[in-house]
mmCIF file of all heavy atoms in Angstrom:
data_model
loop_
_atom_site.group_PDB
_atom_site.id
_atom_site.type_symbol
_atom_site.label_atom_id
_atom_site.label_comp_id
_atom_site.label_asym_id
_atom_site.label_seq_id
_atom_site.Cartn_x
_atom_site.Cartn_y
_atom_site.Cartn_z
ATOM 1 N N PRO T 3 63.182 4.425 -62.767
ATOM 2 C CA PRO T 3 62.315 3.902 -61.757
ATOM 3 C C PRO T 3 61.038 4.649 -61.830
ATOM 4 O O PRO T 3 61.035 5.831 -61.731
ATOM 5 C CB PRO T 3 63.068 4.178 -60.499
ATOM 6 C CG PRO T 3 64.476 4.209 -60.938
ATOM 7 C CD PRO T 3 64.482 4.681 -62.309
ATOM 8 N N GLY T 7 52.237 5.662 -65.773
ATOM 9 C CA GLY T 7 51.813 6.471 -66.906
ATOM 10 C C GLY T 7 52.988 7.026 -67.670
ATOM 11 O O GLY T 7 54.111 6.581 -67.539
ATOM 12 N N LEU T 35 45.380 31.587 -50.659
ATOM 13 C CA LEU T 35 45.265 31.614 -52.113
ATOM 14 C C LEU T 35 45.451 33.021 -52.666
ATOM 15 O O LEU T 35 45.818 33.199 -53.820
ATOM 16 C CB LEU T 35 43.897 31.070 -52.542
ATOM 17 C CG LEU T 35 43.700 29.568 -52.326
ATOM 18 C CD1 LEU T 35 42.262 29.186 -52.605
ATOM 19 C CD2 LEU T 35 44.628 28.779 -53.223
ATOM 20 N N GLY T 40 55.318 39.378 -50.798
ATOM 21 C CA GLY T 40 56.384 39.759 -51.721
ATOM 22 C C GLY T 40 57.715 39.230 -51.257
ATOM 23 O O GLY T 40 57.813 38.477 -50.308
ATOM 24 N N SER T 46 68.236 40.997 -41.487
ATOM 25 C CA SER T 46 68.691 41.354 -40.147
ATOM 26 C C SER T 46 67.580 42.087 -39.423
ATOM 27 O O SER T 46 66.685 42.665 -40.029
ATOM 28 C CB SER T 46 69.929 42.251 -40.218
ATOM 29 O OG SER T 46 69.560 43.530 -40.695
ATOM 30 N N TYR T 102 65.747 17.314 -57.240
ATOM 31 C CA TYR T 102 67.082 17.343 -57.850
ATOM 32 C C TYR T 102 67.321 16.127 -58.735
ATOM 33 O O TYR T 102 68.025 16.211 -59.748
ATOM 34 C CB TYR T 102 68.159 17.421 -56.760
ATOM 35 C CG TYR T 102 68.169 16.273 -55.780
ATOM 36 C CD1 TYR T 102 69.023 15.186 -55.943
ATOM 37 C CD2 TYR T 102 67.321 16.264 -54.671
ATOM 38 C CE1 TYR T 102 69.037 14.139 -55.038
ATOM 39 C CE2 TYR T 102 67.313 15.227 -53.765
ATOM 40 C CZ TYR T 102 68.168 14.168 -53.951
ATOM 41 O OH TYR T 102 68.157 13.126 -53.053
ATOM 42 N N TYR T 109 71.202 21.990 -64.798
ATOM 43 C CA TYR T 109 70.087 22.940 -64.753
ATOM 44 C C TYR T 109 69.562 23.191 -63.340
ATOM 45 O O TYR T 109 68.551 23.862 -63.169
ATOM 46 C CB TYR T 109 68.937 22.438 -65.638
ATOM 47 C CG TYR T 109 69.245 22.476 -67.115
ATOM 48 C CD1 TYR T 109 68.580 21.628 -67.995
ATOM 49 C CD2 TYR T 109 70.199 23.343 -67.644
ATOM 50 C CE1 TYR T 109 68.858 21.653 -69.352
ATOM 51 C CE2 TYR T 109 70.484 23.364 -68.995
ATOM 52 C CZ TYR T 109 69.809 22.512 -69.848
ATOM 53 O OH TYR T 109 70.085 22.544 -71.194
ATOM 54 N N CYS T 120 60.472 33.891 -58.801
ATOM 55 C CA CYS T 120 59.010 33.862 -58.719
ATOM 56 C C CYS T 120 58.520 34.426 -57.387
ATOM 57 O O CYS T 120 57.344 34.773 -57.272
ATOM 58 C CB CYS T 120 58.509 32.435 -58.899
ATOM 59 S SG CYS T 120 56.733 32.313 -59.182
ATOM 60 N N ASN T 146 73.808 13.304 -60.700
ATOM 61 C CA ASN T 146 72.478 13.870 -60.504
ATOM 62 C C ASN T 146 71.888 13.513 -59.144
ATOM 63 O O ASN T 146 70.822 13.995 -58.773
ATOM 64 C CB ASN T 146 71.523 13.386 -61.602
ATOM 65 C CG ASN T 146 70.764 14.533 -62.234
ATOM 66 O OD1 ASN T 146 71.321 15.284 -63.018
ATOM 67 N ND2 ASN T 146 69.496 14.695 -61.877
ATOM 68 N N PRO T 212 74.165 11.547 -41.376
ATOM 69 C CA PRO T 212 75.431 12.265 -41.136
ATOM 70 C C PRO T 212 75.822 13.198 -42.275
ATOM 71 O O PRO T 212 76.506 14.200 -42.040
ATOM 72 C CB PRO T 212 76.448 11.131 -40.961
ATOM 73 C CG PRO T 212 75.647 9.970 -40.491
ATOM 74 C CD PRO T 212 74.338 10.078 -41.206
ATOM 75 N N LYS T 248 60.497 9.134 -36.028
ATOM 76 C CA LYS T 248 60.866 10.336 -35.269
ATOM 77 C C LYS T 248 62.121 10.081 -34.438
ATOM 78 O O LYS T 248 63.091 10.865 -34.483
ATOM 79 C CB LYS T 248 59.700 10.744 -34.368
ATOM 80 C CG LYS T 248 60.029 11.856 -33.388
ATOM 81 C CD LYS T 248 58.883 12.075 -32.419
ATOM 82 C CE LYS T 248 59.273 13.009 -31.282
ATOM 83 N NZ LYS T 248 58.169 13.159 -30.304
ATOM 84 N N MET T 259 63.093 21.518 -37.039
ATOM 85 C CA MET T 259 61.695 21.150 -36.861
ATOM 86 C C MET T 259 61.332 19.934 -37.707
ATOM 87 O O MET T 259 61.647 19.872 -38.894
ATOM 88 C CB MET T 259 60.775 22.319 -37.241
ATOM 89 C CG MET T 259 59.292 21.969 -37.149
ATOM 90 S SD MET T 259 58.191 23.297 -37.696
ATOM 91 C CE MET T 259 58.156 24.309 -36.216
ATOM 92 N N SER T 295 43.467 21.539 -34.962
ATOM 93 C CA SER T 295 43.540 22.287 -33.702
ATOM 94 C C SER T 295 43.501 21.349 -32.502
ATOM 95 O O SER T 295 44.243 21.533 -31.537
ATOM 96 C CB SER T 295 42.395 23.292 -33.628
ATOM 97 O OG SER T 295 42.483 24.054 -32.450
ATOM 98 N N ALA T 297 44.566 18.332 -32.439
ATOM 99 C CA ALA T 297 45.773 17.507 -32.412
ATOM 100 C C ALA T 297 46.982 18.266 -31.879
ATOM 101 O O ALA T 297 47.791 17.712 -31.134
ATOM 102 C CB ALA T 297 46.075 16.969 -33.803
ATOM 103 N N PHE T 358 63.286 39.823 -58.875
ATOM 104 C CA PHE T 358 64.498 39.208 -59.405
ATOM 105 C C PHE T 358 64.305 38.938 -60.887
ATOM 106 O O PHE T 358 63.256 38.512 -61.331
ATOM 107 C CB PHE T 358 64.782 37.890 -58.672
ATOM 108 C CG PHE T 358 65.224 38.084 -57.252
ATOM 109 C CD1 PHE T 358 64.309 38.009 -56.211
ATOM 110 C CD2 PHE T 358 66.547 38.351 -56.958
ATOM 111 C CE1 PHE T 358 64.707 38.177 -54.896
ATOM 112 C CE2 PHE T 358 66.953 38.527 -55.642
ATOM 113 C CZ PHE T 358 66.029 38.441 -54.616
ATOM 114 N N LYS T 366 66.343 26.080 -77.781
ATOM 115 C CA LYS T 366 66.052 24.728 -78.252
ATOM 116 C C LYS T 366 66.565 24.574 -79.673
ATOM 117 O O LYS T 366 66.801 25.551 -80.379
ATOM 118 C CB LYS T 366 64.547 24.457 -78.233
ATOM 119 C CG LYS T 366 63.865 24.740 -76.898
ATOM 120 C CD LYS T 366 64.304 23.759 -75.824
ATOM 121 C CE LYS T 366 63.519 23.956 -74.550
ATOM 122 N NZ LYS T 366 63.687 25.286 -73.949
ATOM 123 N N HIS T 376 71.121 0.547 -88.056
ATOM 124 C CA HIS T 376 71.556 -0.787 -87.661
ATOM 125 C C HIS T 376 70.669 -1.322 -86.534
ATOM 126 O O HIS T 376 70.043 -0.563 -85.796
ATOM 127 C CB HIS T 376 73.020 -0.768 -87.203
ATOM 128 C CG HIS T 376 73.976 -0.414 -88.295
ATOM 129 N ND1 HIS T 376 74.246 0.893 -88.644
ATOM 130 C CD2 HIS T 376 74.718 -1.191 -89.127
ATOM 131 C CE1 HIS T 376 75.113 0.908 -89.653
ATOM 132 N NE2 HIS T 376 75.420 -0.343 -89.952
ATOM 133 N N PRO T 391 72.096 -16.694 -67.502
ATOM 134 C CA PRO T 391 70.688 -16.698 -67.119
ATOM 135 C C PRO T 391 70.480 -17.475 -65.820
ATOM 136 O O PRO T 391 71.237 -18.412 -65.517
ATOM 137 C CB PRO T 391 70.000 -17.388 -68.299
ATOM 138 C CG PRO T 391 71.077 -18.197 -68.955
ATOM 139 C CD PRO T 391 72.336 -17.410 -68.768
ATOM 140 N N GLY T 426 48.552 -25.470 -77.172
ATOM 141 C CA GLY T 426 47.390 -25.556 -76.294
ATOM 142 C C GLY T 426 47.078 -24.218 -75.676
ATOM 143 O O GLY T 426 47.478 -23.162 -76.181
ATOM 144 N N ASN T 429 47.762 -20.226 -69.749
ATOM 145 C CA ASN T 429 46.974 -19.487 -68.760
ATOM 146 C C ASN T 429 47.912 -18.862 -67.741
ATOM 147 O O ASN T 429 48.668 -19.570 -67.064
ATOM 148 C CB ASN T 429 45.983 -20.426 -68.064
ATOM 149 C CG ASN T 429 45.035 -19.701 -67.123
ATOM 150 O OD1 ASN T 429 45.209 -18.522 -66.838
ATOM 151 N ND2 ASN T 429 44.041 -20.408 -66.619
ATOM 152 N N GLY T 478 56.011 -0.220 -63.775
ATOM 153 C CA GLY T 478 56.086 0.682 -62.634
ATOM 154 C C GLY T 478 55.306 0.162 -61.447
ATOM 155 O O GLY T 478 54.168 -0.280 -61.589
ATOM 156 N N ASN T 496 52.918 -19.398 -60.924
ATOM 157 C CA ASN T 496 52.961 -20.379 -62.004
ATOM 158 C C ASN T 496 52.217 -19.923 -63.249
ATOM 159 O O ASN T 496 51.218 -19.213 -63.176
ATOM 160 C CB ASN T 496 52.358 -21.702 -61.528
ATOM 161 C CG ASN T 496 53.298 -22.486 -60.627
ATOM 162 O OD1 ASN T 496 54.514 -22.437 -60.813
ATOM 163 N ND2 ASN T 496 52.743 -23.194 -59.661
ATOM 164 N N PHE T 539 67.103 -4.006 -80.686
ATOM 165 C CA PHE T 539 67.755 -2.732 -80.404
ATOM 166 C C PHE T 539 68.143 -2.095 -81.737
ATOM 167 O O PHE T 539 68.637 -2.766 -82.645
ATOM 168 C CB PHE T 539 69.011 -2.942 -79.560
ATOM 169 C CG PHE T 539 68.740 -3.511 -78.200
ATOM 170 C CD1 PHE T 539 68.733 -4.886 -77.994
ATOM 171 C CD2 PHE T 539 68.490 -2.678 -77.122
ATOM 172 C CE1 PHE T 539 68.491 -5.418 -76.743
ATOM 173 C CE2 PHE T 539 68.240 -3.202 -75.853
ATOM 174 C CZ PHE T 539 68.232 -4.573 -75.662
ATOM 175 N N PRO T 580 49.091 9.321 -74.346
ATOM 176 C CA PRO T 580 48.980 10.602 -75.046
ATOM 177 C C PRO T 580 50.323 11.284 -75.351
ATOM 178 O O PRO T 580 50.402 12.132 -76.212
ATOM 179 C CB PRO T 580 48.182 11.456 -74.044
ATOM 180 C CG PRO T 580 48.584 10.924 -72.706
ATOM 181 C CD PRO T 580 48.776 9.445 -72.901
ATOM 182 N N TYR T 585 61.781 14.514 -73.804
ATOM 183 C CA TYR T 585 62.683 15.649 -73.598
ATOM 184 C C TYR T 585 64.128 15.183 -73.588
ATOM 185 O O TYR T 585 64.491 14.228 -72.894
ATOM 186 C CB TYR T 585 62.325 16.329 -72.278
ATOM 187 C CG TYR T 585 63.293 17.399 -71.832
ATOM 188 C CD1 TYR T 585 63.673 18.430 -72.682
ATOM 189 C CD2 TYR T 585 63.809 17.400 -70.540
ATOM 190 C CE1 TYR T 585 64.556 19.419 -72.272
ATOM 191 C CE2 TYR T 585 64.670 18.384 -70.099
ATOM 192 C CZ TYR T 585 65.051 19.389 -70.978
ATOM 193 O OH TYR T 585 65.912 20.369 -70.555
ATOM 194 N N LEU T 595 79.288 13.271 -82.712
ATOM 195 C CA LEU T 595 78.335 12.178 -82.838
ATOM 196 C C LEU T 595 77.770 11.749 -81.477
ATOM 197 O O LEU T 595 78.518 11.588 -80.511
ATOM 198 C CB LEU T 595 78.989 10.976 -83.523
ATOM 199 C CG LEU T 595 79.336 11.149 -85.005
ATOM 200 C CD1 LEU T 595 79.994 9.892 -85.545
ATOM 201 C CD2 LEU T 595 78.076 11.477 -85.816
ATOM 202 N N ASN T 596 76.458 11.566 -81.443
ATOM 203 C CA ASN T 596 75.763 11.117 -80.243
ATOM 204 C C ASN T 596 75.042 9.808 -80.573
ATOM 205 O O ASN T 596 74.349 9.704 -81.582
ATOM 206 C CB ASN T 596 74.754 12.163 -79.776
ATOM 207 C CG ASN T 596 75.408 13.427 -79.299
ATOM 208 O OD1 ASN T 596 75.592 13.637 -78.112
ATOM 209 N ND2 ASN T 596 75.785 14.307 -80.234
#
Side-chain angles (χ1 to χ4, degrees):
L35 290 172
S46 71
Y102 60 96
Y109 291 155
C120 193
N146 229 75
K248 172 187 170 183
M259 177 184 278
S295 182
F358 290 96
K366 307 292 186 299
H376 295 83
N429 186 350
N496 284 326
F539 296 91
Y585 172 52
L595 291 179
N596 293 262

